[in-house]
């Protein structure tokens, strides 16, 4: 490729390298190197070598033992290193055995200048007083000169993390990975480096290590990562679901899984680096290398050894996921482009007419006046809007509007925008380095950005939502654009450039024409636009002054509400450590942000927060801090009710407050498949309430893709169909086949709601992920790469068709220890006794859902239009006996809405020797009755069945000999009591 062509097409400033170029230099600003006469950026003029091979690391000076057997190790720099920043000469390594399975190793600067994530953002778990070195399953050992450490799992003597340079392979040549950045994969040596703007640490990995996590990412390899050629960057970024690039969220956590031949078992462990600064993590065969541009090395190690253990131990450390309101498991419908209340209401009506359950209707930014949130578009006039949301509630349905991160700026002196003005008055918007308000641009044009570190921010936020709630009684909130996204690079104004004189022009990214892309294999010139039911994009009323008067546009005195401070929330702790970063705009080590500069498409790292804290250090926390404030606001508005929000940018641990959707995917079969790896990834990250834009966001969908996807997503925790502006309508009523497929899948989903609630209660209680890959349950190394199927808990296996034009699919049906699977709908057994890889027939409109032998599931007996009606209809129990006639299961039942949960009842079910028992335990009173019991795997027709010793009338007992199924109807059982069912 000709270099000059690249240069002219790049909008990046051209820079040249002042630092000497050697083959080992990691410096990846190779673009611009050949352009003479340009001024290097400041950080490159500085005397940093860019050559890590000169660094020799640190010596141990001194150590101290703590009572719990932990350690403090004091380190001194061996030689001047100055690779990409100023060396920090004295470090402390604190080693704490926090629990038997968790070891905390924190390497920090003695001066405490480096940034550390506030407790408010991620409360530290701390240690259990009863844990000590001897009880721990992990062992920390180290060398003195230079300092190197390694961590062993005692149980199997496996070295899990190993910074000894002799054990880590070096790579003097780059390996080709996608993009122009292969220099990043040169790993010439592995010293510990700790500079103000560059921290580096490497650890040895097994060859071909099985790594999961390090997201948010859509990896080209699927859920499993490419451990021989990966550069994973952590810098929150607004970008439509790219492959192998940094994107919305930041979760510097991985799980590694090894096959233990002797034990015949998978041995897994987890590693979490708690650091909010920009970072690259490099994987090459035999090594993982961390490169952070600030902060400290605050590591947590989790001993596993089962994959579920690792996920649970991680969630216990960073925060257990919030238990979600039951209604949020219903079907959600959204799109960008519902132009009015009338338009939105007609969608709700059409869903009901089509008989497709709709639990939650959403609106995108269309509801806002000129995209300015908290003000209403003329076609969303307050009275109409209020009436519409009230209607939804009267039908037991729910409503969620979008809120963007950035707040519209005033256009001129006569402009009115209460929320901006109130925030200006209380001085809560982010600042330029000179103390003026930082002004970027998003949908409303120029915008400011909330400063979540400001102690008054919560008040401004809650007031704004209180006022909104007086019109729209929303049930949850959708938090978009919170990386935060800004469409211009830098601030449009500061103390020397008044906004009137700015040269910055806010771009308009609103799609002007319908997309022309369709799913793979769909040719519109042959087939025409499939399903030509389109939503009317024209204003239906409101022209020529006929619109209802929009009172919300008038200035109302911002309601000042004195909310009582709740115990659960405390104001953000101001940084103990507030470093003044010298090269804040262009750090000497340029992380591989695929947007380019750190400031690209977001707020500049030089913007400041309360107390002078620079965005450079906390960029990756922005979304999560918004979510923490939003959570408090939602609890203020509806005390005691489970908050529900769905957010785009997330940081480690925020599953304790929010759900997440997988962002702007594409209407393609490839992205449908990728939605599975996304759901698995966020289940590993402790944010289990997650799902994709079903039927696809960017581009047009088609009937076949939407049919398959509506069925697939029905088995993900968060189930929402969402679409971009102007793309072909994709509500499930648009095609008959999609309608039928959706109803079928939603009915199965609603029957399974008690099972979902049980899995989420366990996640909230101990951190076990609800949605898991096969290898979490079945110890088989060949299952590690499977991400075209997944499990819901231990008992439900989902096998979708992910290709166009196919009506059957091969799936893995694990058969270890005689396990078999029965079809959810027909109860027919899949014959997996000889092999586990089996083709099943799944014509359009069908998805593989199978129940594992040996399971007892508590279900809702009769799926209805809404979750409430479904719940009110009572329960049923489904048993699938294993080959020995045994099955077990449990259920956790609560009222589905109270926060925090204070009444919960657990039911334990055991089926054995022609007998099924239920044992309740807990304080929640279950009103709804048990209506039906289905037992699959009874191969002799029973002559008599009895409940608690009382014979059940034969008219209530049916037998199906084909699948060996006993069905008992009209049970009328009270689940608060223990009971025994017998059949003979
Ligand atoms: O820059 O609000 O991810 O779901 O429809 C696009 C419009 C802004 C991005 C979200 C998408 C939403 C869209 N938003």
């Amino acid at each position: 490729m000709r270099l000059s062509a690249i240069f002219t097409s790049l909008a990046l400033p051209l820079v040249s390298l002042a630092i000497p170029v050697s083959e080992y230099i990691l410096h990846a600003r190779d673009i611009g190197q050949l352009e003479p006469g340009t001024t290097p950026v400041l950080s490159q003029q500085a005397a940093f070598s860019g050559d890590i091979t000169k660094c020799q690391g640190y010596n141990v000076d001194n150590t101290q033992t703590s009572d719990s057997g932990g350690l403090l190790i004091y380190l001194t720099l061996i030689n001047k290193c100055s690779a990409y920043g100023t060396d920090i000469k004295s470090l402390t390594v604190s080693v704490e055995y926090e629990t038997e399975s968790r070891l905390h190793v924190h390497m920090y600067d003695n001066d405490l200048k480096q940034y550390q994530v506030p407790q408010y953002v991620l409360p530290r778990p701390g240690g259990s007083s009863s844990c000590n070195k001897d009880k721990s399953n992990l062992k920390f050992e180290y060398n003195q000169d230079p300092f190197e450490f390694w961590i062993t799992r005692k149980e199997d003597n496996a070295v899990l993390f190993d910074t000894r340079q002799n054990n880590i392979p070096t790579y003097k040549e780059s390996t080709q990975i996608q993009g122009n950045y292969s220099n990043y994969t040169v790993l010439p040596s592995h010293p510990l480096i700790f500079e103000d703007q560059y921290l580096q640490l490497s650890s040895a990995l097994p060859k071909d290590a099985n790594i999961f996590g390090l997201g948010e990412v859509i990896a080209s390899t699927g859920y499993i990562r490419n451990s021989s050629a990966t550069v994973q960057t952590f810098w929150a970024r607004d970008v439509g679901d790219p492959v192998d690039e940094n994107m919305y969220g930041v979760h510097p956590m991985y799980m590694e899984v090894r096959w233990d031949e002797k034990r015949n078992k998978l041995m897994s462990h987890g590693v979490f680096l708690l650091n909010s600064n920009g970072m690259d993590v490099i994987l090459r065969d035999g090594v993982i290398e961390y490169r952070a541009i600030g902060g400290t090395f605050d590591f947590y190690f989790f001993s596993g050894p089962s994959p579920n253990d690792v996920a649970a131990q991680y969630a216990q450390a960073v925060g257990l996921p919030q238990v979600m309101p039951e209604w949020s498991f219903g079907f959600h419908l959204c799109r960008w482009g519902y132009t009015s209340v009338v338009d939105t209401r007609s969608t709700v009506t059409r869903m009901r007419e089509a008989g497709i359950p709709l639990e939650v209707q959403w609106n995108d930014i269309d509801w806002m006046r000129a995209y300015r949130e908290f003000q209403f578009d003329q076609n969303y006039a307050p009275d109409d809007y209020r009436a519409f949301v009230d209607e939804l509630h009267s039908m037991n349905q729910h409503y969620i509007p979008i809120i963007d991160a950035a707040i519209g700026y005033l256009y001129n002196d006569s402009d009115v925008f209460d929320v901006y003005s109130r925030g200006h008055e209380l001085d809560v918007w982010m600042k330029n380095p000179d103390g003026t308000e930082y002004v970027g641009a998003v949908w409303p044009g120029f915008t400011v950005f909330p400063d979540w570190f400001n102690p008054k921010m919560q008040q401004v936020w809650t007031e704004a939502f209180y006022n909104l709630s007086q019109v729209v009684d929303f049930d949850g909130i959708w938090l978009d654009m919170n990386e935060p996204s800004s469409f211009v690079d830098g601030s449009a104004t500061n103390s020397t450039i008044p906004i009137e004189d700015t040269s910055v022009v806010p771009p308009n990214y609103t799609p002007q024409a319908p997309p022309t892309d369709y799913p793979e294999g769909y040719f519109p010139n042959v087939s025409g636009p499939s399903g030509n039911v389109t939503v009317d994009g024209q204003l239906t009323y409101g022209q020529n002054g006929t619109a209802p008067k929009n009172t919300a546009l008038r200035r109302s005195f911002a309601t000042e509400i004195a909310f009582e401070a709740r115990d659960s929330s405390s104001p953000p702790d101001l940084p103990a450590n507030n470093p003044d970063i010298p090269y804040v705009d262009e750090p000497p080590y340029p992380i591989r942000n695929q947007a380019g500069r750190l400031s690209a498409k977001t707020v500049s790292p030089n913007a400041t927060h309360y107390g002078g804290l620079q965005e450079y250090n906390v960029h990756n926390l922005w979304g999560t801090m918004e979510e923490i404030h939003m959570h408090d606001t939602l609890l203020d508005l509806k005390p005691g009710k489970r908050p529900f929000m769905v957010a785009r940018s997330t940081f480690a641990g925020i599953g304790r407050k929010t759900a997440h959707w997988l962002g702007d995917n594409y209407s393609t079969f490839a992205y449908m498949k990728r939605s599975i790896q996304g759901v698995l990834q966020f289940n590993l990250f402790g944010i289990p309430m997650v799902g994709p834009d079903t039927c696809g966001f960017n581009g047009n969908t088609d009937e076949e893709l939407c049919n398959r996807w509506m069925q697939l997503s029905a088995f993900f925790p968060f189930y929402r169909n969402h679409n971009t502006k102007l793309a072909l309508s994709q509500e499930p009523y648009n095609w008959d086949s999609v309608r039928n497929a959706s109803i079928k899948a939603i009915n199965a989903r609603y029957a399974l709601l008690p099972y979902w609630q049980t899995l989420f209660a366990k996640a909230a209680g101990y951190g076990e992920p609800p949605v898991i890959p096969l290898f979490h349950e079945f110890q088989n190394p060949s299952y590690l790469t499977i991400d075209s199927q997944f499990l819901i808990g231990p008992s439900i296996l989902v096998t979708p068709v992910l290709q166009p034009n196919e009506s059957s699919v091969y799936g893995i049906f694990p058969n270890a220890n005689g396990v078999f699977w029965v079809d959810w709908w027909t109860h027919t057994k899949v014959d997996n006794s000889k092999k586990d890889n089996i083709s099943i027939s799944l014509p359009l409109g069908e998805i593989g859902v199978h129940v594992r032998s040996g399971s007892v599931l508590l279900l809702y007996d009769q799926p209805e239009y809404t979750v409430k009606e479904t719940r009110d209809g009572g329960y049923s129990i489904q048993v699938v006996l294993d080959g020995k006639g045994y099955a077990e299961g449990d259920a956790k039942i609560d009222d589905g809405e109270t926060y925090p949960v204070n009444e919960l009842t657990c039911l334990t079910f055991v089926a054995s020797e022609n007998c099924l028992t239920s044992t309740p335990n807990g304080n929640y009173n279950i009103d709804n009755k048990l209506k039906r019991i289905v037992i699959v795997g009874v191969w002799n027709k029973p002559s008599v069945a009895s409940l608690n010793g009382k014979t059940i009338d034969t008219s209530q007992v049916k037998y199906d000999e084909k699948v060996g199924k006993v069905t008992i109807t009209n049970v009328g059982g009270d689940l608060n009591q223990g009971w025994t069912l017998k059949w003979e």
Side-chain angles (χ1 to χ4, degrees), residues 238-240 248 334-337 364-366 368 371 402 404 442-443 478 480-481 483 485 487 509 511 601 648 661-665 693 697 720 722-725:
D238 169 12
V239 59
Y248 313 115
C334 187
R335 80 160 295 159
W336 184 7
D364 205 318
I365 51 178
D366 310 285
M368 301 169 191
Y371 297 135
I402 195 172
D404 282 343
V442 194
W443 296 114
W478 175 17
D480 191 14
M481 312 298 275
E483 292 69 34
S485 179
F487 297 163
Y509 289 157
K601 197 108 198 265
R648 202 166 71 175
W661 96 102
L662 296 169
D664 296 352
N665 63 7
D693 283 350
F697 180 76
R720 183 184 71 157
H722 177 48
N723 195 2
T724 192
K725 198 176 166 87

